[in-house]
Amino acid sequence: MARRKRLSSARPDFLSSGDEAAPLRAAPAPIAGIAGDAARNAAAAELAQALTEARETGRMVIELPLAAIDAAYLVRDRLGVDEEEMAALVASLAARGQQVPIEVADLGGDRYGLISGWRRIEALRRMGRDTVLALLRTPREAEDAYLAMVEENEIRVGLSHYERARIAVKAVEQGVYPDLGAALRSLFHAASRSKRSKIGSFAILVSALDGHLRHPAAIGERLGLRLAQALDADTTLGAALAKRLDAAAPAGMEAEQALLSAALSPSKSASEPRRAAPDPQRVRVGPGLDYEEGRDGSIRLSGAALNSDFRDDLRSWLEERLRE
């Protein structure tokens, strides 16, 4: 008689992990996989859109080839570069890297127009670098681009009155603004009215002598305003002075300014009789205060209102005015 096989006892570790066969598990429903893929795709699309928006609105720093930057996109307001300042900027970039991105506008075709950051680009080129960190701007109009450039230079390095006037004149010539007054009010909206008036006076110099001056940014306020007044009074002076500058070709700033000053004070011939300067006229400008202006440009105030408090206020006002 054949022997009967014994049944083995139940295995309590059948459902535990180990080398034994794993228990059967239910396969996920197809709809669950589709929903997961859709969620992942939606998240990726949302991230891509956020990155695109951040890039296009100037909230994301991007790295661009220096060769792709058109530095002549705008007429630059800075006429020259201070070599000591440039050397300091090169040293800073070499030690700490580029901390502040430049600003560019997308011109299409992998080309970008420079709005602000000319000095950083120049320093990087001198260092032999190939790329620059940038923020992409989308100016609604050319007016916004010019304003951004002027504001950056006013804050970082400052501009001379001639440079301020020149960018206003060039912006008008390019049709960005209808006239000089509109350009001054927009580009220098944060400046006082008197400062805008001085810049407007320097615009007379720009119109008459731009391209003939070798050191225009060095012309001080006093000399510049005197030149503007003379050019405005004599319509033939601009052409004569431009011709004189071209012929003399003064090499240094001092020589050029001496030539300009001489043009304002032409020598009198010995045979020409001297005219006596008229006596200054006294003008009452307010209760207890008289004003006199001499032929030599001097100003005299007198009257009972000129007390110590008035003098202190006037001195403070003059100091503040000269700091502008």
Side-chain angles (χ1 to χ4, degrees), residues 22 48 53 109 125 139 215 249 278 297 317:
E53 290 179 356
R125 283 175 176 162
H215 309 279
W317 179 82

Side-chain angles (χ1 to χ4, degrees), residues 238-257:
L241 191 51
K243 186 176 180 180
R244 196 177 306 175
L245 285 165
D246 292 342
M253 175 184 66
E254 294 81 2
E256 183 172 83
Q257 293 191 10

Side-chain angles (χ1 to χ4, degrees), residues 32-47:
I34 295 174
D37 291 342
R40 285 189 292 272
N41 291 338
E46 184 177 354
L47 177 60

Side-chain angles (χ1 to χ4, degrees), residues 16 32-33 43 59 70 86 155 172 185 207:
S16 64
R59 292 181 290 114
D70 181 7
M86 182 58 66
I155 292 170
V172 172
R185 288 191 297 272
S207 299

Side-chain angles (χ1 to χ4, degrees), residues 21-261:
L24 295 177
R25 294 180 181 177
I31 190 64
I34 295 174
D37 291 342
R40 285 189 292 272
N41 291 338
E46 184 177 354
L47 177 60
Q49 182 179 358
L51 291 174
T52 300
E53 290 179 356
R55 182 179 186 274
E56 293 179 350
T57 56
R59 292 181 290 114
M60 183 173 70
V61 177
I62 57 178
E63 188 175 39
L64 298 174
L66 276 174
I69 308 298
D70 181 7
Y73 170 61
L74 300 179
V75 177
R76 309 314 304 175
D77 47 8
R78 296 296 292 181
L79 292 177
V81 58
D82 186 293
E83 289 301 327
E84 289 186 6
E85 291 181 358
M86 182 58 66
L89 180 57
V90 169
S92 174
L93 289 171
R96 303 175 61 239
Q98 185 185 348
Q99 300 294 308
V100 181
I102 66 170
E103 294 180 311
V104 296
D106 192 347
L107 303 180
D110 294 328
R111 296 290 298 169
Y112 300 88
L114 180 65
I115 295 175
S116 65
W118 182 87
R119 294 170 69 250
R120 273 160 281 166
I121 279 187
E122 178 64 19
L124 289 169
R125 283 175 176 162
R126 293 188 182 193
M127 297 168 66
R129 301 291 175 82
D130 297 324
T131 60
V132 61
L133 300 179
L135 290 171
L136 186 63
R137 301 300 191 200
T138 54
R140 295 185 300 275
E141 300 175 357
E143 178 179 339
D144 295 337
Y146 275 98
L147 183 58
M149 175 182 62
V150 169
E151 286 181 340
E152 191 213 23
N153 278 332
E154 287 283 5
I155 292 170
R156 294 188 178 282
V157 293
L159 299 170
S160 68
H161 277 349
Y162 189 96
E163 289 170 317
R164 294 185 181 105
R166 184 175 183 273
I167 193 61
V169 169
K170 296 302 181 182
V172 172
E173 290 177 355
Q174 293 191 353
V176 179
Y177 299 98
D179 52 52
L180 182 63
L184 293 173
R185 288 191 297 272
S186 175
L187 294 174
F188 307 102
H189 60 90
S192 64
R193 182 177 297 181
S194 63
K195 185 173 182 178
R196 287 198 299 269
S197 176
K198 292 174 185 176
I199 298 171
S201 295
F202 269 76
I204 300 174
L205 273 69
V206 174
S207 299
L209 302 177
D210 196 44
H212 303 281
L213 292 165
R214 297 191 174 192
H215 309 279
I219 297 176
E221 181 179 303
R222 184 176 180 182
L223 176 58
L225 294 178
R226 289 177 61 208
L227 280 168
Q229 185 177 12
L231 289 166
D232 190 44
D234 183 357
T235 56
T236 65
L237 179 60
L241 191 51
K243 186 176 180 180
R244 196 177 306 175
L245 285 165
D246 292 342
M253 175 184 66
E254 294 81 2
E256 183 172 83
Q257 293 191 10
L259 188 154
L260 295 174
S261 298

